[in-house]
């Protein structure tokens, strides 16, 4: 029952879908963010993106010098 409830919550609440970033396009972006030597940027981005879901374009606007997600242009 607990697992079923968790899966239901993740499918209906977009704030709980962050796990999807652990897959191909997002993992490189988050890995690069984690490796950056700019703690202010990292803190600002993580605080912002967990308030509501963001698209790859939104992420590019938050971190224009960061890597491109899923292609060569944002």
């Amino acid at each position: 029952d607990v697992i079923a409830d968790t899966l239901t919550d993740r499918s209906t609440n977009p704030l709980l879908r962050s796990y999807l970033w652990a897959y191909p396009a997002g993992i490189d972006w988050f890995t690069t963010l984690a490796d950056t030597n700019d703690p202010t940027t990292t803190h600002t981005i993580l605080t912002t993106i967990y308030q509501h879901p963001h698209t790859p374009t939104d992420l590019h606007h938050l971190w224009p010098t960061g890597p491109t997600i899923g292609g060569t242009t944002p």
Side-chain angles (χ1 to χ4, degrees):
D1 288 337
V2 172
I3 293 170
D5 288 343
T6 300
L7 291 174
T8 298
D9 289 345
R10 286 189 178 177
S11 67
T12 58
N13 183 344
L15 292 177
L16 300 175
R17 293 185 190 154
S18 299
Y19 70 94
L20 292 173
W21 282 108
Y23 296 97
I27 191 69
D28 291 338
W29 194 88
F30 276 103
T31 300
T32 303
L33 179 63
D35 289 342
T36 188
N37 290 325
D38 185 352
T40 302
T41 297
T42 302
H43 180 266
T44 300
I45 290 172
L46 291 177
T47 302
T48 302
I49 64 173
Y50 281 99
Q51 292 177 14
H52 61 84
H54 285 70
T55 66
T57 301
D58 296 333
L59 296 176
H60 175 73
H61 290 298
L62 286 172
W63 190 24
T65 60
T68 301
I69 298 173
T72 57
T73 58

